[in-house]
Amino acid sequence: MASAKTYGNLIGGKFVPAKSGKTFENLSPADTSDVVGVFASSDDADVDAAVKAAAKAYETWRLVPAPKRAEILYRTGELLVKRKEEFARDMTREMGKVLSETRGDVQEAIDTAYYMAGEGRRLFGQTTPSELQNKFAMSVRMPVGVCGMIAPWNFPMAIPSWKLFPALVCGNTCVIKPAEDTPLSTFHLVEMLMEAGLPDGVVNIVTGFGPEAGAPLVEHPKVRAISFTGSSEVGRIVGQKAAGNFKPCSLEMGGKNAMIVLDDANLDLALDGAVWGAFGTSGQRCTATSRVIVDKRVAAEFTARIVERAKKLRVGNGLEENIEMGPQINKQQIETSTRYVKVAQDEGAALLQGGVALAEGVHSKGHFFAPTIFGKVQAKMRIAQEEVFGPVLSVIECDGVEDAIRIANGIEYGLSTALYSRDVNKAFRAIRDLEAGITYVNAPTIGAEVHLPFGGVKQTGNGHREGGTGALDFYTTWKSVYIDYSDKLQRAQIDNAK
Ligand code: NAD
């Protein structure tokens, strides 16, 4: 096997090794003997150099007209279209999910590029009447400055694109730290930006581990905003550090997403949705279906059928076209899934399918876990409350729509929810009452579109949104502008009080 390529950090348009000289290997989770690349293991000195490069580039990038910045994004989208298959294959190799899903991940970056390119000719502000004669009033969006971005590994290109593209069209410069498990896809994305004409230093990449390379980015005084996606545990640390310096901080975190199946649902449709929602990306999506809350009148049939479906899923290396579920990201995630199986059994849940790591034959080289289903799950059990982030589904019985909504809301997270029913009244009640940033009706909990707001409530997020115009709100700050053309001192009404 050819020796793996070494990647330096991208700082000011140049690829440079970590100042310490340290590196780490990026291993394929389907075959850990396959070294995808060797990357810089960075620390605060590298972060400082990257932030300084971004601060320098900001002086000129912020003055490039937004429609021109947008043209670079559009060209990036076109380049991604051409390289889609190659980047999808590299992503499957570094992250594990099956090819059809990594093609989708690249597609999401393409969609975001085109969508945000369109924003270059909008970025609307407001004009509004002044309370005084001969005075004009408006508000305009201003860039924030240098933005620090910290990404997870499960959407290695899509999530960086959600952060970078809106930030860039708004006139910001960026330092991004990809997840240590999936740095390559960020390089592919940023290389396309550079090929499309992005000036040096506008986007910088610093690779490495959270405490060494992520924390200094959050704390750097020249970083004006932080966008973080990852676990709620790390998000809490990031948010607290950012708050210490009054930095705007967008936190997109974990989920424990519920699909509700009522007794009038199209069960075939709900089954398709549950299999895809629970086992797509091997259960490693923030929006993965990890709880099915099914009406007791159809629970036995639904449970028997989903167990049969899960048994038949083909688990293996995602580079093979007939494989339906790839590996877990790393050994640690196998340990987490295994631990939760024990927790669930100790609590009295019934293991109906899977529950074990797969380590024989074709599975012997990677981190594979069987699609797993628990029955007899009670809403308050840990398996129904905590994020596993593996292919582990809990089936919980309910009695009607109100009971289902109560169970769905009885957790600390609030990202995605789904309701399967043919009753429009029940659907609208669920849309109103489910505590979540996203609700699907007759569709699974996964499958967001880039032009709608993405994010959650409760422990999932702190009120910001990626996607849609919410992203523009995060990457800009409002400036109110008053222009007095009266040629005399006009005091505002508040200063003229009688
Ligand atoms: P993680 O929290 O372990 O890591 C996320 C990123 O934070 C990585 O780049 C990591 O290196 C970095 N990091 C770790 N410690 C840090 C520290 N002290 N300071 C700064 N950065 C630090 O999460 P993960 O395992 O990469 O991703 C899985 C999690 O992400 C799940 O909880 C999932 O639900 C969540 N997620 C959420 C969304 C969303 O939009 N809500 C999307 C995808 C994933």
Side-chain angles (χ1 to χ4, degrees), residues 438-469:
I438 306 167
T439 294
Y440 294 89
V441 176
N442 293 324
T445 57
I446 62 177
E449 300 181 32
V450 302
H451 54 297
L452 276 84
F454 185 92
V457 299
K458 295 152 87 176
Q459 304 265 322
T460 295
N462 63 343
H464 298 286
R465 288 290 182 270
E466 299 201 295
T469 52

Side-chain angles (χ1 to χ4, degrees), residues 112 115-116 119 123 141 144 161-167 169-170 172 250 252 450 452-454 464-476:
T112 306
Y115 172 53
M116 284 300 161
E119 284 303 329
L123 287 181
R141 288 184 184 275
V144 177
S161 80
W162 288 6
K163 298 184 186 305
L164 290 170
F165 293 170
V169 81
C170 293
N172 303 286
S250 166
E252 299 294 342
V450 302
L452 276 84
F454 185 92
H464 298 286
R465 288 290 182 270
E466 299 201 295
T469 52
L472 305 179
D473 293 334
F474 183 71
Y475 290 111
T476 54

Side-chain angles (χ1 to χ4, degrees), residues 142-153:
M142 306 295 287
V144 177
V146 177
C147 297
M149 295 156 177
I150 298 176
W153 48 265

Side-chain angles (χ1 to χ4, degrees), residues 150-151 153-154 177 180 210 229-231 252-254 286 387 454:
I150 298 176
W153 48 265
N154 63 339
K177 193 207 84 63
E180 49 273 33
T229 303
S231 61
E252 299 294 342
M253 300 171 288
C286 53
E387 187 182 47
F454 185 92

Side-chain angles (χ1 to χ4, degrees), residues 257-277:
N257 311 291
M259 170 191 286
I260 295 172
V261 182
L262 296 183
D263 57 355
D264 68 342
N266 175 342
L267 271 202
D268 294 335
L269 188 67
L271 275 161
D272 284 345
V275 171
W276 174 225

Side-chain angles (χ1 to χ4, degrees), residues 105-183:
D105 198 304
V106 181
Q107 185 59 45
E108 202 153 311
I110 294 166
D111 295 343
T112 306
Y114 291 153
Y115 172 53
M116 284 300 161
E119 284 303 329
R121 287 191 183 269
R122 285 187 285 267
L123 287 181
F124 296 132
Q126 299 122 15
T127 57
T128 181
S130 165
E131 64 194 29
L132 297 171
Q133 272 189 5
N134 300 324
K135 195 172 174 188
F136 182 87
M138 64 180 171
S139 64
V140 290
R141 288 184 184 275
M142 306 295 287
V144 177
V146 177
C147 297
M149 295 156 177
I150 298 176
W153 48 265
N154 63 339
F155 280 88
M157 188 174 281
I159 289 180
S161 80
W162 288 6
K163 298 184 186 305
L164 290 170
F165 293 170
L168 292 173
V169 81
C170 293
N172 303 286
T173 57
C174 312
V175 177
I176 183 163
K177 193 207 84 63
E180 49 273 33
D181 284 306
T182 56

Side-chain angles (χ1 to χ4, degrees), residues 32-263:
T32 53
S33 65
D34 178 14
V35 182
V36 177
V38 178
F39 291 85
S41 184
S42 311
D43 59 25
D44 49 356
D46 306 298
V47 170
D48 185 55
V51 172
K52 283 184 176 143
K56 185 158 179 291
Y58 180 64
E59 290 166 19
T60 46
W61 179 247
R62 72 186 179 91
L63 302 176
V64 175
K68 290 284 160 202
R69 297 193 294 249
E71 284 171 18
I72 295 176
L73 294 185
Y74 191 85
R75 282 199 292 277
T76 302
E78 291 185 306
L79 290 168
L80 287 167
V81 169
K82 283 196 194 130
R83 307 278 295 269
K84 182 172 173 181
E85 187 62 20
E86 174 194 344
F87 291 164
R89 285 184 175 275
D90 276 351
M91 195 189 296
T92 293
R93 211 179 135 208
E94 82 163 341
M95 185 273 171
K97 63 187 172 188
V98 298
L99 268 176
S100 58
E101 291 188 42
T102 51
R103 287 177 190 129
D105 198 304
V106 181
Q107 185 59 45
E108 202 153 311
I110 294 166
D111 295 343
T112 306
Y114 291 153
Y115 172 53
M116 284 300 161
E119 284 303 329
R121 287 191 183 269
R122 285 187 285 267
L123 287 181
F124 296 132
Q126 299 122 15
T127 57
T128 181
S130 165
E131 64 194 29
L132 297 171
Q133 272 189 5
N134 300 324
K135 195 172 174 188
F136 182 87
M138 64 180 171
S139 64
V140 290
R141 288 184 184 275
M142 306 295 287
V144 177
V146 177
C147 297
M149 295 156 177
I150 298 176
W153 48 265
N154 63 339
F155 280 88
M157 188 174 281
I159 289 180
S161 80
W162 288 6
K163 298 184 186 305
L164 290 170
F165 293 170
L168 292 173
V169 81
C170 293
N172 303 286
T173 57
C174 312
V175 177
I176 183 163
K177 193 207 84 63
E180 49 273 33
D181 284 306
T182 56
L184 180 61
S185 297
T186 297
F187 278 85
H188 286 335
L189 182 71
V190 175
E191 278 166 3
M192 293 306 94
L193 277 165
M194 290 166 72
E195 204 175 313
L198 193 77
D200 289 349
V202 173
V203 172
N204 305 272
I205 308 174
V206 176
T207 54
F209 296 85
E212 294 79 25
L217 188 57
V218 179
E219 284 170 35
H220 199 292
K222 281 196 160 65
V223 172
R224 292 291 159 80
I226 289 289
S227 174
F228 168 87
T229 303
S231 61
S232 300
E233 191 188 349
V234 175
R236 180 172 280 112
I237 300 170
V238 168
Q240 284 172 349
K241 284 205 175 130
N245 290 313
F246 307 112
K247 281 183 198 178
C249 177
S250 166
L251 302 173
E252 299 294 342
M253 300 171 288
K256 188 75 192 172
N257 311 291
M259 170 191 286
I260 295 172
V261 182
L262 296 183
D263 57 355

